[in-house]
Amino acid sequence: MSNTNATTDAHFRNALGAFATGVTIVTTKDADGGDVGLTANSFNSVSLDPPMVLWSLAKTSANLLAFKTNPYFAVHVLSANQQELSDRFAKRGADKFGGLVVGRGIGGIALLDGCSARFQCRTAFQYGGGDHVIFVGEVNKFDHSELEPLVFHGGKYAKVRPRLSIVGSASDEVDSSFRKDFLGYLLGFASSRLQAPVLARCAELGLSEEEYYVLTILVANPDSSVAEIDKMLALTGSYLSDERMGVLAAKDLIEFRDVGATRTLHLTEKGREASIQIYVVAKAAEATAEMVLDYDETMLLKQMLRRIIAKMLEHDNNG
Ligand SMILES: Cc1cc2nc3c(=O)[nH]c(=O)nc-3n(C[C@H](O)[C@H](O)[C@H](O)COP(=O)(O)O)c2cc1C
C-alpha cells in the first residue's frame, strides 16, 4: 500500500479502481423526446426509507442537459452477459439505442431487458460534485432478476466468483473421503474420461498417445526442431526418441528437413489429416465439460491447471 497525494489523474483513477462496482446504464429522455443514456458505475444505494439511490454524471456529458431537466431516470444494473451493451453506452455520439428493443417505464423512459435489476426513479436532488453532477433519485418502481451481475474492477470487466466457503466443497459430499477429495483423483478421473474418446480415435488411426502429441505440436508449431518439440512434450512427461520419429516417418505422418545441423519436422498431408480427425474428437470431448462450465470458468480452469503443471515442472527441474 503506497500513499500518494491525489495529484495525478492516473494514480487517483487507479486507486478508485480498487473499489469493485457493478455496471449500470442510466437512461432518460431529452427535451425532444429522444432516448438518451450512458454507462455509469458511480451508482450506489442511499436510503431505504424512502428508497433512494444516487449516481454521478460528468459535466462534459452530451446528456447533461437531458438528465438535469427530465424529472425521471432509470438505472439498469447490467447482467454478466451485457458487456457489449455497456461498451455501446460508454461511447459518446454512438447511436446507442439503434436496433435495441426497449420497453417504456415511468415518464416514457426507455427500459432495457436482460438486466440484473432496474430502478425507475424521480430525481429528488441534484448536487454539484467537482467535475460531476450527483443525481439522487427516489425509487418509484424496481425489478430484480436472478441474472448474475456484470462487475467492474481495476478498469476491467469481471464476473462475480463467490468465495469457496459459500459455493460448498467436498465437505458437502455425503460419501466424501480423502481419496475423492484428492486433487490428483479429481484430475485423473476427469482426464481419463476426457481422453478416452481421443485415445480410441488414435487407436483407430493406428497412433499411440505420444505420436498423437507430436502431431498436435506440429500442427500449432510447424518447422519445429527436435529440441523444441521435446521442450513442449515435457508437459506430457514424454520425449521424442529417434525410434518414435522413425515410426512416424514410416507411417508417412511426418517428414524431416535438415537445415545445417538442425533437423526440423513437418506434417505430411496424411499427418495433417489424422491430426484434424483427432482434434475434432478432442474438441467434442471438451464440449462435454463445457456443458457444466461457462466459457470463463473453462478458461480459468485451464489457466489454473497450467499453473500447477508449470510449478511441478519447476520442482522437477530443481531436483
Ligand atoms: C464501466 C464504466 C463506468 C462509467 N461510469 C461513469 C459514470 O459513473 N459517470 C459518467 O459520467 N461517465 C461514466 N462512464 C463514462 C461514460 O459512459 C462515457 O463517457 C459516455 O461516453 C458518456 O456518454 P455521453 O457523453 O453520450 O453521455 C463510465 C464508463 C464505463 C465504461
Side-chain angles (χ1 to χ4, degrees), residues 1-6:
M1 168 99 42
S2 62
N3 287 322
T4 310
N5 292 326

Side-chain angles (χ1 to χ4, degrees), residues 52-116:
M52 291 177 125
V53 296
L54 68 74
W55 68 288
S56 62
L57 176 63
K59 285 181 178 165
T60 53
S61 165
N63 296 314
L64 182 67
L65 187 62
F67 282 105
K68 284 190 91 157
T69 49
N70 195 314
Y72 301 109
F73 64 85
V75 180
H76 304 77
V77 177
L78 299 188
S79 61
N81 54 11
Q82 289 183 309
Q83 187 178 319
E84 278 175 19
L85 208 56
S86 169
D87 286 337
R88 180 201 279 223
F89 277 80
K91 281 198 192 88
R92 171 174 292 211
D95 177 12
K96 296 177 178 174
F97 290 87
L100 282 186
V101 179
V102 296
R104 293 289 158 193
I106 182 173
I109 285 170
L111 288 183
L112 309 171
D113 283 332
C115 303
S116 292

Side-chain angles (χ1 to χ4, degrees), residues 170 173 175-183 185-186:
E173 290 175 19
D175 65 344
S176 167
S177 63
F178 172 69
R179 190 178 72 90
K180 285 195 170 175
D181 190 38
F182 173 46
L183 187 59
Y185 167 82
L186 297 170

